[in-house]
Amino acid sequence: MSLKDLEELTSNAKQIQDDVLKEILTLNANTEYLHRFLHGSSDKELFKKNVPVVSYDDVKSYIERTANGGEPSDVISGKPITGFFLSSGTSGGKQKIFPINNKFFEDMTFIFALRSQIIFRHIKDVQEGKAITFFFVKPQSTTPSGLPVSNMLTGFLMSDYFKNRPSNRFTSPDEVTLCQENKQAMYCHLLCGLVQRDEVVSLAAAFASSLVGAITFLENYWKEMCSNIRSGHVSEWISDLSCRDSVSIILGGPNSELAELIEEECKKKSWKGIITRLWPKTKFIQTVVTGQNAQYIPILEFYSNKLPLISTAYGSSETIFGVNVNPLCKPEDVSYTFMPTMSYFEFLLADEGNNGEIVDLVNVKLGSYYEPLVTNYSGLHRYRMGDILQVTGFYNSAPQFRFVHRKSAVLSVSVEMTTEEDILKALNHAKLVLKPSHLILMGFTCYADISTHPAHYVFYWELKATNINDTVKLDEKMLVDCCCVMEESFCSLYREFRKKNGSIGALEIRVVAQGTFDSLMEFFISQGASVSQYKTPICINSSEALAVLEKSVIAHFFSDKSPPVGSKIQY
Ligand code: AMP
């Protein structure tokens, strides 16, 4: 793999996409699913005319039949299915599963190598250094047909593709990455990272929420880690023996000098820049901060003294889409260049007044909004992703997209629609109000409270003082102001309804106790979510999840005026 591949693939996007579709249709021509529409043909025009655009519920029964076994395996895929990915999306309250085969792991291997090459081209002298990589696995389950079911990252990490990777830059031994006890794995990831602090050039996690979780974990465990480093013995509660043995080797023996150095930094009043203080050679943080993970940008900038935050790739359980070829751009400018070999991509226009227009990858228009439709190598055909992307440019002939939002995440209590992007924008305005107060927003989520009249938006906030020893002081006026600026930034329909006919009530912030968002994560994990793929939901619908938040509410604040209607407020 070299950067020449990137040039070649992106220069021949059209031809490659045509070949990909031909290959998939030829492979799948006789599956039960495709035969219904194409009667054995692999013609592109017939595919476009006859094969319907589908959502999960349309293909669920085919996927479940494949998972349950006892039938010919070519229900949906000509190529044998070797496992399933459990996605973070849900259908009817149940997690979705997607069939996969080794092509997915080959694509992941390619993308991992490509994104490293891209980073090496932009950041000098990091090729030889190490990365503290917060990757975790969850125990796999099996389908009735005996195939493994796991989240995407677990599937990859447990495969031979990871085991036989050509180079290894992780500070953690594989025994830690593959330890199924996530708390033990987290402790060991951090301990190994601290011990090898002089070699560390980057920190990495799939999503920013995991990285913030790692620093919070360090806040609670640094004393114990220092004591391990001082004595040269790993804590007894690390009971996974292969994990323990491999970490003991890295620990090497007692090192009181290093323990003191780390203690010195961790006991300082503020944890501002803690990442660069503990790992002084760190040059970047590799983690996704686009989409809903954008909420973690300020806290990561605080912990890292504004090191570059690099969102390297955009992918899902359905397919990998592309990579960020401009890794040092600002987080808000990140675009992903689609890789034409991953799947066959079509795009459903999502602009206002759209008439169901679908275009091929190379025919998308600059500035337009689209929902990708995926035809992959493992049984999905014209599958609606539910993500909304905007075309920002082209790299050779391959389009680049900004991730706008996940379509399903919206708040609405009347006819207004508040998107994920609207919510994040409102939060940014509120953060400006918070700024002088030395409080940081550690976590948030929201829901539409329709039990009140009129119904209203509720935001749960977990706040933390920037100096770790300070307590959180809640200033009533400031928090009421936060409610007001959020309302002011919402769409005109929201403000209209809030004011005139009063069908939307005053926005409320419920401040929750510290640690609440960790409990929320634990709750979702207990329900089957994976640690490495976990993203705090922007909006919550589940009553059990809301109960977790409700029991920790320590204060309520309401907007005290209706927002201006008509003109857009500028900040
Ligand atoms: P999952 O199938 O659980 O891995 O979730 C995939 C979803 O995560 C995608 O459809 C996106 O909504 C979101 N996602 C993945 N990568 C990114 C990214 N780089 N930026 C923003 N959202 C992402």
Side-chain angles (χ1 to χ4, degrees), residues 87-88 288 290 313-317 336 385 387 403 406 533 535:
S87 100
S88 56
V288 167
T290 47
Y314 166 41
S316 68
S317 308
Y336 299 100
M385 281 302 304
D387 288 341
F403 184 90
R406 205 168 179 160
Q533 270 165 284
K535 304 145 198 134

Side-chain angles (χ1 to χ4, degrees), residues 429 481-491 494-495 561-564 567-569 571:
H429 290 163
D481 274 353
C482 288
C483 296
C484 294
V485 295
M486 292 210 306
E487 288 200 312
E488 285 167 11
S489 86
F490 285 144
C491 68
Y494 176 97
R495 287 177 282 130
K561 52 180 182 286
S562 45
S567 64
K568 262 230 166 318
I569 313 284
Y571 285 88

Side-chain angles (χ1 to χ4, degrees), residues 293-364:
N293 274 274
Q295 59 177 308
Y296 296 105
I297 295 170
I299 184 77
L300 282 180
E301 287 183 337
F302 173 79
Y303 284 141
S304 72
N305 265 341
K306 299 205 168 176
L307 280 177
L309 300 174
I310 306 184
S311 301
T312 52
Y314 166 41
S316 68
S317 308
E318 294 87 332
T319 184
I320 296 173
F321 297 97
V323 291
N324 173 4
V325 295
N326 188 11
L328 292 179
C329 69
K330 288 200 233 116
E332 58 272 28
D333 294 335
V334 170
S335 286
Y336 299 100
T337 304
F338 269 43
M339 290 292 114
T341 45
M342 301 286 126
S343 287
Y344 177 65
F345 299 113
E346 295 171 277
F347 295 85
L348 181 62
L349 193 64
D351 290 340
E352 256 171 61
N354 123 59
N355 53 4
E357 185 186 334
I358 294 172
V359 292
D360 276 340
L361 180 69
V362 293
N363 294 330
V364 294

